Amino acid sequence: MTTAEHPPALAPLRHARERFLTGRSLPAGVPDDVVAAWRRARFFGVRPDLDGPVRESGHPVDSPLLEAAHPVLARIAPALDAGRSALVLTDERLRVLWSTGSAPGDDTCSDLSEREVGHNSAALALRTRRRAEVHGPEHFLDVWQDVSAVSVPLLSPDSEQVLGTVTVASGLCAGCRPHPGAALAEAAAAAVEAELRARARTAERALLDAYERAARGRERAVVALDGRNRLISEAATRLASPQVLEALERGARAWGRGTGESYEVSLPEDPGCSVEITPVRHEGCAVGLVAVLAPRSVEPVPESVPCPGSELTGNSVPWRHAVARATALARTPGPLLVVGERGTGKTTLALELLDGKAPLVVDAAESPELGLNDDVRGETGGAPAEGWGRAGDRPLLLRHAERLAQSDVAALNSLLDERPDARLVVTYTPGASPGPCLQRLLDTLAARSVTLPALRERAEDIRELLPALVPAPAPGSPPLTWSLDALRALESHPWPGNITELAHLVRALAHQRRLRGPVRRSELPDPVREGPAGRNLSPMELAERAAILEALRRHGGNKARAAAALGIARATLYRKLREYQGRDAGIRGGMS
């Protein structure tokens, strides 16, 4: 049982708290969440008599949340019963940023985290991301035994992360649920979130204006970022590597409220371009940056060192590990086996590794009998790879080893027995169980093999792959861009055909699309747009689903009232409904 399910009677709870503080056993019926909160406070070393921090004389002045919330809360404060209630604003660490009014014990603490003061409504709202109430003896501190408080979390308008809390505290309201100040707390939180949204839009406008001033047309390489949005000119897409863009975004997020005229950003060791950075300021605060890029001469890479090109884009750990291992093996004499599902880029990687060496490329999928055995001849008197084993001057790229004729597999085994340092790269797509002869070949090459990860195993690379896969736009046409919803759909698709399948989809959209602006999720093919087949719900999701359905039933399907009853934002309820729709037919009835 929890306090959310059944409000506890305060007299028995007060008696239970006294027994807990004196180390005696608790009576039956004490809510589990209250007992757990008391135990956390004891674990953190909180003293019930609050032999700890007292409120400092001043509040932090460098908080963007306080800057947005202060004028809003100052307008709402007159509606507060100032002699009996207090209105409190905290940040995401539950530090008190601002307060007004008066309530028992409200002048005690400058930090409302459980580590400092134990159980309270602000800490509970932060943890649950919903409106929370704590009454009298549910608190751990002595000074709050005659206090009732209700808190509402403040959510970021773009990321929905919790930025802080708004609390209304008053004298004890025995049996009053919801708290009499709940409507005021929710109204204050909604007004603060609206102000945050308005300020975000204004800051985005300032970023866009700065970008347009710096770009001066399409020929300059300009990037503008604020940690949430990215504006990049066509010239910058060709010049800036993903590593440079990531470094700029980290810098934009880390600046905070700097006041200098220029800023230092830690760029990669070899960015391949020079970068001039200027802060974008709005109302005295740095809200983003504009970077102007210029080409810089780079020493050519020696031909003997394989260097993966743009076709091999990706910075995920599995992909970087595979490419690094393949590159290291290619620098030493001997054969190389590249293994992976169809479409993972095996041939592309092999060609990059053999770049500048004029390899002989043969494909067993096109002609299973390649003439690697001296006795094998094609109808024209010679097979594609005939005599390669004798000459051996050119490296051989052998594609689709799983399709080789048994005679060619035997010839390769014999060749590698005689010449273990043969200049040979073999690609192999696992499938049916290999025969003994092919298995021997795979075992021989196993020590010098690399397995490429499937695209679903490195979904974070999709955003970097897209620019490399999109064909160049027609003169005067904008490059293909993607909405966030479409990108999420691409990243969640399993891609059985891997990069090849993704490339076909991107090129089809580029050639057939007639709309302007970013590609939307609705434009994607059905299997990609609808996402992978639903999975079974976790116990937590089942409980959440049941609560949503019950709230919708009680309120006749009215989502706004259901969200209010659940103590969550209406946008959060809509997002939850979208997530569960399609997984469970039961949720569809509640959404109609």
Side-chain angles (χ1 to χ4, degrees):
M1 182 180 69
T2 67
T3 56
E5 297 167 346
H6 303 286
L10 295 186
L13 192 62
R14 198 179 301 277
H15 174 67
R17 176 179 177 273
E18 293 174 357
R19 292 183 65 88
F20 178 85
L21 294 178
T22 55
R24 290 177 288 172
S25 60
L26 295 178
V30 182
D32 295 339
D33 56 342
V34 173
V35 175
W38 291 345
R39 287 172 176 166
R40 286 196 300 272
R42 185 168 60 187
F43 175 80
F44 292 143
V46 179
R47 292 177 58 103
D49 57 0
L50 194 65
D51 182 15
V54 295
R55 178 172 295 173
E56 300 173 358
S57 57
H59 297 303
V61 296
D62 60 347
S63 166
L65 174 61
L66 178 59
E67 288 187 359
H70 183 269
V72 174
L73 297 179
R75 292 195 299 269
I76 294 176
L80 190 73
D81 186 354
R84 299 181 180 179
S85 301
L87 181 63
V88 181
L89 172 73
T90 75
D91 62 10
E92 77 284 358
R93 292 169 54 186
L94 295 175
R95 297 174 299 184
V96 175
L97 301 178
W98 179 89
S99 66
T100 188
S102 177
D106 76 310
D107 59 346
T108 307
C109 302
S110 60
D111 188 330
L112 300 184
S113 66
E114 283 195 332
R115 289 181 176 271
E116 296 293 336
V117 298
H119 190 44
N120 64 88
S121 62
L124 184 58
L126 187 74
R127 186 171 68 251
T128 61
R129 294 173 59 91
R130 57 186 295 180
R131 190 184 77 198
E133 299 183 16
V134 176
H135 298 268
E138 295 175 22
H139 293 99
F140 190 74
L141 295 185
D142 294 341
V143 294
W144 287 344
Q145 293 306 295
D146 295 320
V147 173
S148 288
V150 56
S151 298
V152 179
L154 294 168
L155 303 182
S156 168
D158 50 8
S159 65
E160 289 198 355
Q161 291 182 337
V162 179
L163 302 177
T165 65
V166 171
T167 298
V168 174
S170 65
L172 187 61
C173 306
C176 292
R177 289 186 187 249
H179 187 286
L184 180 63
E186 290 189 333
V192 171
E193 290 177 351
E195 178 66 18
L196 290 170
R197 284 193 295 272
R199 289 179 175 238
R201 286 194 294 270
T202 306
E204 289 172 0
R205 181 72 247 181
L207 184 73
L208 177 60
D209 291 344
Y211 168 78
E212 291 177 344
R213 287 194 301 269
R216 299 176 191 169
R218 299 178 56 177
E219 69 279 359
R220 297 193 79 191
V222 178
V223 180
L225 313 102
D226 63 1
R228 301 181 303 274
N229 304 289
R230 177 191 293 184
L231 303 171
I232 181 167
S233 68
E234 186 176 350
T237 60
R238 298 191 297 266
L239 192 58
S241 67
Q243 292 80 8
V244 169
L245 294 176
E246 288 177 6
L248 292 174
E249 285 194 339
R250 285 195 300 270
R253 289 192 295 266
W255 279 1
R257 293 175 48 84
T259 57
E261 294 302 322
S262 63
Y263 290 75
E264 293 292 332
V265 173
S266 179
L267 295 173
E269 292 185 3
D270 186 14
C273 60
S274 61
V275 182
E276 180 184 350
I277 298 173
T278 305
V280 178
R281 307 186 67 80
H282 175 64
E283 296 182 352
C285 301
V287 297
L289 65 85
V290 169
V292 179
L293 285 61
R296 194 181 68 185
S297 59
V298 181
E299 296 183 2
V301 179
E303 289 189 359
S304 59
V305 180
C307 179
S310 61
E311 293 281 343
L312 301 174
T313 302
N315 279 295
S316 63
V317 172
W319 181 250
R320 287 191 289 110
H321 175 77
V323 173
R325 173 171 169 78
T327 303
L329 290 172
R331 291 173 179 168
T332 59
L336 173 63
L337 175 64
V338 183
V339 182
E341 296 179 8
R342 60 187 176 93
T344 50
K346 300 184 294 295
T347 299
T348 302
L349 174 61
L351 290 173
E352 289 285 343
L353 297 174
L354 296 173
D355 185 36
K357 299 178 182 178
L360 175 63
V361 181
V362 293
D363 191 342
E366 298 176 359
S367 176
E369 296 184 353
L370 302 177
L372 295 174
N373 190 318
D374 289 346
D375 296 332
V376 176
R377 295 288 185 271
E379 293 181 0
T380 59
E386 180 187 353
W388 171 82
R390 294 188 299 274
D393 294 330
R394 298 170 62 190
L396 173 66
L397 169 55
L398 174 59
R399 301 181 62 205
H400 298 111
E402 69 279 2
R403 301 286 193 88
L404 276 174
Q406 186 165 346
S407 57
D408 284 321
V409 177
L412 274 178
N413 283 326
S414 298
L415 174 66
L416 292 174
D417 288 341
E418 299 172 5
R419 294 180 50 199
D421 60 347
R423 304 173 68 190
L424 169 68
V425 178
V426 177
T427 70
Y428 174 72
T429 303
S433 178
C437 202
L438 179 57
Q439 186 60 60
R440 180 191 166 197
L441 175 64
L442 297 176
D443 293 342
T444 302
L445 299 174
R448 292 180 55 84
S449 66
V450 59
T451 300
L452 301 189
L455 186 56
R456 62 181 175 276
E457 297 170 359
R458 57 185 192 106
E460 61 267 39
D461 290 338
I462 287 179
R463 299 193 188 195
E464 295 181 37
L465 283 165
L466 290 173
L469 298 176
V470 175
S477 300
L480 197 65
T481 57
W482 308 82
S483 69
L484 183 59
D485 202 25
L487 288 172
R488 288 172 176 165
L490 295 175
E491 290 171 341
S492 63
H493 187 61
W495 298 111
N498 294 290
I499 300 174
T500 301
E501 182 184 357
L502 176 63
H504 284 313
L505 182 148
V506 169
R507 290 165 190 163
L509 280 172
H511 291 142
Q512 301 170 9
R513 192 167 186 261
R514 297 294 179 265
L515 301 175
R516 309 286 290 184
V519 175
R520 298 185 293 273
R521 187 185 189 116
S522 59
E523 299 177 63
L524 300 176
D526 290 347
V528 181
R529 181 177 66 249
E530 295 171 0
R535 58 175 173 80
N536 293 330
L537 300 180
S538 68
M540 182 71 72
E541 289 170 330
L542 287 171
E544 186 177 61
R545 166 192 171 280
I548 289 173
L549 286 175
E550 176 60 21
L552 288 169
R553 185 192 63 77
R554 287 200 315 269
H555 296 280
N558 187 303
K559 299 181 182 64
R561 294 178 182 174
L566 291 167
I568 61 177
R570 184 163 42 180
T572 302
L573 177 64
Y574 279 111
R575 175 172 57 80
K576 293 292 185 183
L577 291 174
R578 286 195 301 269
E579 290 175 358
Y580 292 139
Q581 188 178 22
R583 292 195 198 169
D584 192 325
I587 200 74
R588 296 192 184 115
M591 294 180 65
S592 58

